[in-house]
């Protein structure tokens, strides 16, 4: 990505489109791809995680208060995911995901979940998912307001529909729009202010 002139004296916040197979951190003793391969901005840190085998939006910031707003589940900031799953969930399965499913000894919060009528327009993943000839796939859009470890994958698996590909497309008001995999952009003061706005409850 072309070098950008960075503002000085400000707490910077970036939106980054994390590619598949990239760790959500800046260092790795095993030498695997990390954020440092794409982002050369001093002082910013990932506000939240996105698993190595997942793709999509991450926010990085030098503002500790903003990072808390993004990551603390009590803030209820919505995060939107697209999940390609094995088979086609019926309405009962979708409703169970909406109500919340048990993951170990904890039940997930109510979520917004819908079955997409067709596959979203997305670039191919560098490592294609493993297709099984006799097993169809479908796409779900899920909006969560918490951040349990590998939550979307665990939720769909618990409902009987394992996730094959997972992309986070929005965090609060910030979306992936205009960012290709591996690209980042600086958030404007207005966008940062919008993240700080209190979250509204899901319908």
């Amino acid at each position: 990505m072309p070098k950008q002139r960075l503002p000085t004296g400000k707490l910077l916040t970036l939106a980054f489109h994390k590619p598949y197979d990239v760790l959500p951190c800046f260092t790795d003793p095993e030498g695997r791809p990390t954020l440092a391969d794409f982002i050369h901005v001093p002082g910013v840190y990932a506000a939240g995680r996105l698993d190595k085998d997942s793709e999509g939006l991450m926010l990085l910031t030098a503002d500790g208060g903003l990072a808390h707003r993004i990551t603390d589940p009590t803030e209820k900031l919505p995060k939107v995911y697209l999940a390609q799953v094995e088979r086609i969930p019926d309405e009962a399965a979708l409703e169970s995901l909406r109500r919340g499913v048990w993951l170990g000894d904890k039940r997930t919060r109510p979520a917004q979940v819908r079955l997409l009528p067709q596959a979203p327009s997305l670039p191919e993943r560098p490592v294609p998912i493993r297709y099984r000839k006799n097993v169809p796939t479908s796409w779900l859009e899920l909006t969560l307001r918490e951040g349990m470890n590998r939550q979307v994958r665990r939720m769909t698996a618990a409902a009987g529909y394992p996730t094959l590909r997972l992309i986070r497309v929005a965090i609060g008001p910030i979306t992936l729009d205009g960012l290709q995999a591996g690209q980042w952009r600086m958030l404007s003061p207005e966008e940062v202010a919008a993240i700080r706005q209190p979250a509204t409850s899901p319908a």
Side-chain angles (χ1 to χ4, degrees), residues 94-170:
L94 296 175
E95 189 57 33
S96 71
L97 290 170
R98 293 175 186 132
R99 290 195 307 267
V101 296
W102 285 98
L103 302 180
D105 60 353
K106 185 174 181 181
R107 187 171 183 169
T108 61
R109 289 177 179 168
Q112 295 165 277
V113 182
R114 68 185 182 103
L115 177 66
L116 299 183
Q118 59 188 23
S121 178
L122 295 167
E124 291 295 323
R125 202 175 73 173
V127 179
I129 68 166
R130 186 180 69 177
Y131 281 101
R132 292 197 287 168
K133 185 176 180 180
N134 297 319
V135 180
T137 70
S138 56
W139 284 87
L140 301 178
E141 180 189 81
L142 304 94
T143 302
L144 309 182
R145 293 171 182 263
E146 59 188 331
M148 298 170 64
N149 184 45
R150 297 180 71 84
Q151 182 171 344
V152 172
R153 294 179 186 277
R154 293 167 65 196
M155 285 176 66
T156 64
Y161 302 87
T163 291
L164 303 172
R165 186 180 182 188
L166 183 63
I167 303 104
R168 185 160 62 199
V169 295

Side-chain angles (χ1 to χ4, degrees), residues 22-112:
V22 172
L23 291 170
C25 54
F26 280 95
T27 60
D28 178 57
E30 299 178 29
R32 293 171 294 181
T34 69
L35 302 180
D37 294 300
F38 303 90
I39 300 170
H40 306 96
V41 180
V44 297
Y45 300 92
R49 295 179 57 83
L50 191 61
D51 298 323
K52 177 174 174 283
D53 51 355
S54 300
E55 312 157 63
L57 183 63
M58 292 187 70
L59 298 180
L60 298 93
T61 185
D63 185 331
L66 187 68
H68 180 272
R69 167 78 176 117
I70 295 166
T71 59
D72 190 330
T74 63
E75 296 284 348
K76 300 182 180 179
L77 188 70
K79 299 174 178 70
V80 184
Y81 299 82
L82 299 180
Q84 186 178 15
V85 300
E86 283 189 358
R87 303 186 296 113
I88 303 173
D90 57 21
E91 187 58 31
L94 296 175
E95 189 57 33
S96 71
L97 290 170
R98 293 175 186 132
R99 290 195 307 267
V101 296
W102 285 98
L103 302 180
D105 60 353
K106 185 174 181 181
R107 187 171 183 169
T108 61
R109 289 177 179 168
Q112 295 165 277

